[in-house]
Amino acid sequence: MPELNAPQAEAAAHTDGPLLVFAGAGSGKTRVITFRIANLLSQHRVPPYRILAVTFTNKAAGELKARLEHLAGADVTRDLWAGTFHSVCARLLRRYHEEAGLGPRFVIYDESDQKAVISRLLKERGLDDRRMPPRWVLSKIHAQKREGHGPDDLDAQTGFDAEWLDLFKGYQKALHASNAVDFEDLIVLAMRVAEDPESAAGRDLRERFRYVLVDEFQDTNITQYRLVRALSASSRNLCVVGDDDQSIYRWRGADVRIIRGFRRDFPDAQVVKLEQNYRSSANIVKAALGVIAPALEREPKQLWTDAALGEPVRIRTVPTERDEAAFIVRTVRAELLRGVDPKGIAVFYRVHAQSRVIEEALRAENVPYQIIGGMRFFERAEVKDLVAYLRLIDNPKSDADLLRVINVPARGIGDKTVDRVLGAAAERSLSAFEALSALVREGALTGAAKTKLCGFVELMAGLAGAAPGLLPSELAGHVLEATGYRSRLREEDSAESDARLENLQELIGSIREYEEGAAARSEPPTLSGWLERVTLASAVDAAKDVPSISLMTVHAAKGLEFTTVILTGLEEETFPYRGMDSDGIDDLEEERRLAYVAVTRARERLFITHAEARTLFGRTSYKLASRFLRDLPDEAVVREGVQRTPYLSSSPRDLDDEYSPPPRPRAPAWQAAVDQARARMGTARPGERVIDREAFDDLGDADAVAIRPGDRVRHKQFGRGVVERVEHDGSVTVVARFPGHGSKRLRAEYLEPA
């Protein structure tokens, strides 16, 4: 196979027995899978229906089929089994539905269907959906299913809540009664049929495929692995392709130990390592190796390339996220001027909330962009909900905003009641809110509808009455409290609800920035002014057919590549996210793999930014430069900007070697610095601002320099530690990391210099 390098050809030519292919980033793994299948079809005359190729996305499956059609022809590949785990399992269960306990026309419930089932079960049992939110119940059910467990495999004696177990059983019973399955059931039921040693269907499944290939094997969970292991049990021709360095989906069940432990289950497996990178310049490859090399556990691999050195990776230190956004705009414009296709430019961030400032900067400069794997900040449901409340307060005649929030959060106001209000509005030629208010005044409502609609009218009247005495940002916070929106999300207590709360805090931060800008222009900040700003900014979005750059989280970037990548937010607690400590080694290791994935998406140019202070989720804080930046080799990078905060070491354990802090002043005199910082910050309220670096750097008196990130401190209980950030909440609060204790938030007066 002259078109392949030696390791690629070795993997493609392999036929009998298990095969493990470790495929480094950009090493041509899809090419290998394609040529291996083509070789089986053409050289070994394997019927296409005896080959199963499993991928994780429909896009990957489509690309695989397209390449195979080019190599072997559409007639040959038409009967090939190729698709995602879910699509393949659905197809298998259609054939073996009876053995799986399903009818021939079973339906697949999506997320909204599943939530409706749980909501009905909660109501039937008289359980409060605020105490047991449906999404939380479902997340726990799905987690157990990904482990291969059904409700009958669990009991209260093993630590599971009895009410939740009852809901799990009721949920499965309801699905069965509806002849329905959820996405996890597709995998679990197919796995159980394939593993059944007694049934004819199980034997047929285990003998159906002579060759089974699994792409992105590092992302499999235990049920997916058990399924493909059972499907290949007869022939043992199981080929898995993946890279443990790119395992980044532990939060949705992926287990990196599966690919690392493959040889324990298949000790005779042939192992091939694809280490030549065909995607990136040599400097980018060196940077990627620098990031991943300190990983505590990984399959030894040495990514390399024949490509030219290319431009060095540029690391830019900026004061704040606003400066970061300005740098992004300048860099994007420079790339466009040098002829880079807009589609070849991408901006990465760790969490969606970071996109807001970037989006605003791009819109202001009329740079078209699109959000990949997510939605624009101002199009997110929780953001639109809060904006709708504010617009309804500002303009009660806005029917669209009324209809959006009248039952958000849920108040039990159903569609029939809303239709009655809309009918009254049409008859009286009034706005929906005016008609609703009239119905309440006239006593035209009865029963539960009266109580609920009266409550909504009173709520909106109270919000409208409070609005004149509050700043727009204060009003936004008041809306979240008065409506119960914030408390509902807190009670849900899921990863999704946490992200929604963070986005709401980011929105309030945006309103505060508008207020600060208005004050600087000696203009009164008004709700109408901010709403106008948001509306006009959104109207600048480019048309869909205009080429645009891409914005996305690093998770969404998996499997993609770009000419130019701008990787943002390389700071502790941003990336790695939330200040990983010694108690979260697995989290930190996955963050490192995520950084490796980010770096390896770039082909020609990579820019990395980190801010010394960042406002995120409505809070401003100092930021230590990410420990990952310290791992980038000096010969491959250029560091730009003034680096005033130390790098955090890659090692989560060795505190003594983590920092090289600047010399300490003669005496801290922290309270004096706080007093001066307060004066510098003016009207900042407790808990809303972190003491900013500029306030300390310009104090002038060496004896009045405040405690800073990187300083060594001592605590009576926790011992010696290192300051991560300093916050102002009416006094000085210090977040410091102590070996064996993790990060602690403490009053400054309880610390002393170490």
Side-chain angles (χ1 to χ4, degrees):
M1 301 182 188
E3 298 177 74
L4 305 178
N5 64 30
Q8 288 175 336
E10 180 184 1
H14 180 273
T15 53
D16 297 322
L19 172 65
L20 170 59
V21 180
F22 282 105
S27 61
K29 68 179 178 63
T30 303
R31 187 178 184 81
V32 168
I33 295 172
T34 304
F35 272 81
R36 185 170 192 271
I37 295 174
N39 180 53
L40 293 173
L41 292 171
S42 61
Q43 300 300 315
H44 299 275
R45 304 298 180 186
V46 179
Y49 60 84
R50 301 298 302 277
I51 300 175
L52 169 63
V54 184
T55 67
F56 271 83
T57 66
N58 290 314
K59 177 183 176 183
E63 181 181 353
L64 176 64
K65 290 178 180 178
R67 292 193 186 190
L68 281 171
E69 288 179 3
H70 178 72
L71 286 175
D75 293 339
V76 178
T77 59
R78 184 175 296 113
D79 295 329
L80 179 75
W81 283 66
T84 65
F85 270 102
H86 291 125
S87 65
V88 167
C89 287
R91 185 177 173 187
L92 289 174
L93 289 176
R94 296 294 177 192
R95 297 194 177 197
Y96 301 100
H97 60 85
E98 188 173 348
E99 290 80 2
L102 299 171
R105 297 186 178 181
F106 67 86
V107 296
I108 302 170
Y109 274 4
D110 63 16
E111 184 179 346
S112 62
D113 298 323
Q114 298 165 28
K115 185 180 177 183
V117 172
I118 293 296
S119 297
R120 187 171 67 251
L121 292 172
L122 289 167
K123 185 176 181 180
E124 290 173 355
R125 287 157 173 75
L127 298 174
D128 188 351
D129 62 1
R130 290 173 296 182
R131 185 174 67 86
M132 300 187 74
R135 291 183 186 276
W136 174 83
V137 175
L138 283 169
S139 69
K140 291 194 66 176
I141 289 174
H142 293 158
Q144 290 303 316
K145 288 187 177 184
R146 284 193 291 265
E147 294 292 321
H149 301 150
D152 296 332
D153 301 320
L154 311 171
D155 57 62
Q157 282 69 42
T158 56
F160 292 95
D161 179 79
E163 288 181 331
W164 172 80
L165 274 174
D166 179 57
L167 288 170
F168 193 174
K169 292 177 182 178
Y171 174 73
Q172 288 304 112
K173 185 177 180 179
L175 291 184
H176 182 73
S178 301
N179 192 28
V181 295
D182 61 20
F183 295 117
E184 304 301 339
D185 285 333
L186 290 172
I187 310 294
V188 172
L189 292 176
M191 176 198 75
R192 289 176 179 169
V193 173
E195 287 185 337
D196 189 344
E198 304 298 332
S199 73
R203 289 192 296 273
D204 183 47
L205 267 179
R206 291 190 294 275
E207 295 175 359
R208 171 173 288 275
F209 303 108
R210 281 179 56 189
Y211 293 91
V212 177
L213 301 91
V214 185
D215 190 15
E216 303 288 2
F217 188 62
Q218 76 279 352
D219 294 330
T220 54
N221 60 40
I222 188 62
T223 55
Q224 292 165 338
Y225 176 46
R226 285 172 58 183
L227 171 66
V228 296
R229 189 173 60 185
L231 293 176
S232 59
S234 178
S235 68
R236 298 188 77 253
N237 292 329
L238 175 60
C239 169
V240 298
V241 183
D243 182 7
D244 59 325
D245 290 338
Q246 298 185 69
S247 180
I248 60 174
Y249 297 116
R250 188 165 66 96
W251 50 275
R252 69 182 189 194
D255 191 343
V256 70
R257 295 172 297 181
I258 293 174
I259 188 171
R260 290 173 178 166
F262 185 80
R263 282 167 288 190
R264 287 195 297 269
D265 291 342
F266 296 92
D268 59 330
Q270 181 174 343
V271 179
V272 177
K273 295 183 181 181
L274 308 181
E275 298 171 299
Q276 183 174 1
N277 178 285
Y278 291 93
R279 175 186 300 155
S280 306
S281 69
N283 276 328
I284 293 174
V285 170
K286 288 180 182 179
L289 278 175
V291 168
I292 200 63
L296 297 181
E297 182 182 358
R298 62 185 289 260
E299 178 69 23
K301 295 181 291 296
Q302 190 69 23
L303 204 65
W304 64 278
T305 182
D306 276 338
L309 275 178
E311 297 185 21
V313 175
R314 297 191 175 273
I315 303 173
R316 166 72 66 162
T317 301
V318 294
T320 69
E321 77 280 357
R322 287 285 168 189
D323 302 285
E324 179 182 65
F327 171 76
I328 290 169
V329 171
R330 292 196 303 272
T331 302
V332 168
R333 288 204 175 280
E335 291 298 292
L336 294 174
L337 285 173
R338 70 191 300 171
V340 178
D341 188 325
K343 296 178 182 178
I345 303 173
V347 180
F348 296 165
Y349 35 80
R350 178 60 181 83
V351 293
H352 279 299
Q354 290 173 252
S355 74
R356 195 260 305 168
V357 175
I358 300 171
E359 289 184 64
E360 289 178 350
L362 292 171
R363 287 201 302 267
E365 295 297 323
N366 203 25
V367 178
Y369 67 91
Q370 60 178 327
I371 301 289
I372 304 296
M375 60 184 69
R376 296 177 188 272
F377 182 85
F378 291 100
E379 292 176 354
R380 290 166 184 147
E382 61 275 14
V383 172
K384 293 181 76 172
D385 289 343
L386 180 52
V387 171
Y389 267 114
L390 295 173
R391 280 204 301 223
L392 190 60
I393 293 168
D394 192 58
N395 177 21
K397 292 186 177 182
S398 175
D399 286 359
D401 293 312
L402 173 72
L403 295 177
R404 181 172 187 92
V405 302
I406 192 171
N407 199 40
V408 176
R411 301 183 177 91
I413 300 175
D415 292 341
K416 290 184 179 179
T417 302
V418 173
D419 289 342
R420 182 177 177 184
V421 172
L422 293 176
E427 290 175 2
R428 305 183 186 201
S429 298
L430 299 174
S431 70
F433 190 78
E434 289 171 332
L436 173 57
S437 300
L439 292 174
V440 169
R441 286 195 310 271
E442 296 166 3
L445 302 168
T446 60
K450 175 182 179 180
T451 302
K452 293 165 184 174
L453 290 177
C454 284
F456 179 73
V457 170
E458 291 172 0
L459 169 68
M460 295 308 303
L463 293 174
L470 299 174
L471 289 171
S473 60
E474 295 171 335
L475 177 61
H478 181 55
V479 167
L480 293 178
E481 294 297 334
T483 61
Y485 201 107
R486 177 178 281 147
S487 61
R488 287 290 183 92
L489 289 177
R490 285 173 175 164
E491 289 164 0
E492 188 174 312
D493 192 26
S494 66
E496 181 177 349
S497 65
D498 289 345
R500 295 177 70 188
L501 282 167
E502 292 171 346
N503 287 333
L504 290 170
Q505 286 302 116
E506 187 71 6
L507 179 63
I508 293 175
S510 170
I511 302 175
R512 289 199 189 107
E513 290 176 1
Y514 155 75
E515 293 166 353
E516 293 169 359
R521 297 188 300 272
S522 299
E523 298 173 0
T526 64
L527 179 59
S528 297
W530 179 76
L531 289 170
E532 179 179 296
R533 175 187 176 190
V534 171
T535 303
L536 292 177
S538 298
V540 177
D541 291 339
K544 291 183 179 179
D545 59 349
V546 175
S548 57
I549 69 168
S550 299
L551 273 60
M552 67 193 75
T553 65
V554 181
H555 280 104
K558 182 72 163 58
L560 304 177
E561 59 183 74
F562 301 90
T563 302
T564 302
V565 167
I566 306 171
L567 174 59
T568 67
L570 264 288
E571 307 117 23
E572 292 296 308
E573 295 193 338
T574 306
F575 197 176
Y577 187 50
R578 287 284 173 93
M580 305 302 175
D581 58 42
S582 58
D583 296 323
I585 298 301
D586 289 340
D587 290 331
L588 178 57
E589 288 297 287
E590 181 148 324
E591 291 290 304
R592 179 174 297 284
R593 296 193 293 268
L594 192 60
Y596 173 77
V597 167
V599 171
T600 55
R601 300 308 95 191
R603 289 194 295 260
E604 296 180 13
R605 283 174 292 282
L606 173 62
F607 300 85
I608 301 176
T609 65
H610 71 92
E612 294 194 311
R614 182 176 297 276
T615 301
L616 195 62
F617 313 137
R619 295 188 61 199
T620 304
S621 59
Y622 271 146
K623 292 296 183 182
L624 288 169
S626 172
R627 66 193 74 196
F628 302 146
L629 293 179
R630 176 171 166 171
D631 299 325
L632 299 176
D634 290 337
E635 67 271 17
V637 304
V638 171
R639 303 180 192 268
E640 303 170 337
V642 179
Q643 171 60 42
R644 297 188 290 183
T645 55
Y647 289 125
L648 188 62
S649 168
S650 297
S651 170
R653 299 189 179 94
D654 188 358
L655 183 67
D656 288 338
D657 293 333
E658 283 186 355
Y659 295 94
S660 298
R664 283 196 52 80
R666 295 190 300 276
W670 294 334
Q671 190 58 50
V674 173
D675 293 338
Q676 296 187 46
R678 280 187 184 142
R680 290 283 297 273
M681 290 187 289
T683 59
R685 287 174 290 278
E688 292 187 338
R689 282 293 298 265
V690 173
I691 300 173
D692 67 344
R693 184 179 198 109
E694 182 183 0
F696 288 138
D697 283 350
D698 296 340
L699 288 179
D701 183 358
D703 288 337
V705 177
I707 185 171
R708 302 181 183 182
D711 287 350
R712 298 176 186 270
V713 293
R714 186 185 303 278
H715 185 269
K716 288 184 179 179
Q717 179 180 350
F718 304 122
R720 295 175 65 241
V722 174
V723 175
E724 293 182 325
R725 67 176 185 269
V726 183
E727 301 173 354
H728 171 228
D729 57 359
S731 61
V732 178
T733 298
V734 176
V735 178
R737 193 155 67 87
F738 300 89
H741 300 285
S743 295
K744 302 293 181 183
R745 179 175 279 102
L746 303 162
R747 294 284 291 274
E749 55 261 38
Y750 298 129
L751 298 170
E752 59 184 27

